[in-house]
Amino acid sequence: MNLNAEDKERLKKIGASNLLDLALLAPAKYENLHISKSPKMGLQNVIDATILSTEYNPRFMKLTLFANNFDKEISGIIFHPRKYHLDNFKPNSRSYIFGKLDINYEKLQITQPIIIQEINTIIPKYKSKLQNKTMIRLIKENLTEDALLKIGVDALKIKTLMDVHFPTEDFVDMFLKNDGFSDEVVRDFKYLEIYNHIQKLSSKKTISPSKNILEGDLSPFLKKLPFKLTTDQQKVIQEIKDDFKSNTASKRVVMGDVGSGKTMVILAAAVLAYPKKSILMAPTTILTSQIYEEALKYLPKSFKIALITNKSDKKESLLKYDFLIGTHALLFRELPDADLVMIDEQHRFGTKQRALISQLVSRDEKQPHFLQFSATPIPRTLSMIQSSIIDISRIVLLPFPQDIDTRLIGGCEFADLIEHIKEEIKLKRQTIIVYPLVEESDVIDYQSIEQARGWWEKSFEKVYVTFGKDKAKESVIAEFKESGNILIATTLIEVGISLPNLSTIVIVAPERLGLATLHQLRGRVSRTGLKGYCYLFSKQKPTKRLTEFSKTLDGFEIAELDLKYRQAGDLLKGDVQSGKSFVWFDPREDEEILLEVREKLS
Ligand code: ADP
Ligand code: MG
């Protein structure tokens, strides 16, 4: 687009950064100002009218008109007339009037007519922060067949865009009859929207050279493992192996449900990088300690491994280590020249922190390989879209298939729940109870942690309590892990902490939580094959959303359910988890259009 500075600013205001962005802003409606040759019933008509007589009262004004273009007398009605109506509709005057035509008492009647100056044109009405005439001008000046051809839009879709922005009378009549655009037009808009989005994403993809080709030997590590890797773990490790052979720095997200064994992939990647150095950043001290323990257990003894948290000695140089495992405390240390940077539970970090850790070990142009791990599977369509900017691997199989019964319960079943918890305690198993709130609230009709804890503490032994802002939460969880019966918490417990004796989770007010969060919470139990139970305690009747959730344990399936039950408007905000929201394209039902676009772009 050839734009002056003011117009550039205007387009920025409406979020249009390229020609297709502008072209995809379709009018919300049209005003057809062509003089009607014959009456178009139920539609807006332009009439060449001579006023014959008028009848006024404060509630409405009645007109008798001669429609010169129909050669016929018709009536008109104006509700809540103002003084200017009286001035404008004077008997014996002749003007072009515009309004909706219907039959009333067997006579043609025009409702709420207005007098217009401009005729024989169609005015698209845009819903936009800009004035309509500005929108029309910008479209006229920029949206040409040549310009669209140049950016690779095919002839049929160019025709659709032209029809929408520069419509014929027939097109507008169809629009009014359908009460919107036809399915064909909508389909073309969906196509162009997702095409445009993918092209923009792809153009943001940066390709940087890697520091080195990494070809560490995996076999000693694999031989020493006490179990065989699942086929999905093997597949992802192979993908990473291929990445590392390349001269470009890889950028990959490994997506796999809680318990799918992502830590083994992390360790394998560090082995592949060896003798070059690796860094892993994870969101909490507990999680980093856990991974550190596993690294010590499974990695070859030659590996020099360190655990870095904010308690670590800041004076110690980290340059000698092969593998650093730490929290964001890593960001404040001098880091060795690592070839591989990994982030676990990546959605727990901000975009800036994630970018920073990899920048810290970049040298000139050259970047480390960058792997992120996520326990939040995203739906297939969204991951296809994201794959234009980042490579995505999926781990679907779990090493221990989880065995969890999910039950939707209400107040009546509370006594059964207490019985169940007592039984589990006898078996030395643990329960987590998740409340929606820490303190009492007027808005939510559920107990808060502060209200409920007294009862639990009175009724059971070894009850622990923690919540998001609790400074001691990590040590409380660690103590609970060792010796607790019941942990009362908020959704903070979501992070991937392993609690091998946890058999039951009770989630209070599940209707307030997204399916992804519920899935994360439920995934805490039965991590090592233990029989697990998830109770969803609600004061409301079970919804279809929760019932369907209770029937599957597959994170990828739940991601699809989540998409299905979300409002289209809630879709996609943020980064890899999501993307952006679309006006036309619906990731829930337009997979086939997406495939077509990918085919064209490949
Ligand atoms: P997550 O994907 O949630 O990070 P973890 O890596 O913590 O999962 O793995 C969960 C548990 O499964 C750990 O105890 C781990 O040692 C074990 N595990 C991982 N891979 C396998 C496997 N292939 N066979 C058996 N157990 C495995
Ligand atoms: Mg993990």
Side-chain angles (χ1 to χ4, degrees), residues 262-263 287 344-345 496 527:
K262 293 186 291 298
T263 311
L287 203 55
D344 197 17
E345 305 282 343
R527 292 279 307 250

Side-chain angles (χ1 to χ4, degrees), residues 255-257 377-379 394-396 554-561:
M255 238 173 246
D257 242 322
I378 63 173
R394 293 154 69 105
I395 308 185
V396 182
D554 177 338
F556 288 95
E557 226 174 274
I558 285 163
E560 302 289 338
L561 280 181

Side-chain angles (χ1 to χ4, degrees), residues 225-231 233 256-266 287 290-291 294 297-298 344-345 373-375 395 398-400 496 498 524 527-528:
L225 287 181
F227 42 70
K228 196 170 174 300
L229 293 180
T230 64
T231 49
Q233 283 171 319
D257 242 322
V258 172
S260 61
K262 293 186 291 298
T263 311
M264 285 303 143
V265 178
I266 290 173
L287 203 55
Q290 219 168 272
I291 298 169
E294 283 183 80
K297 196 158 134 198
Y298 297 120
D344 197 17
E345 305 282 343
F373 294 81
S374 162
I395 308 185
L398 302 185
F400 307 103
S498 154
R524 305 289 88 224
R527 292 279 307 250
T528 43

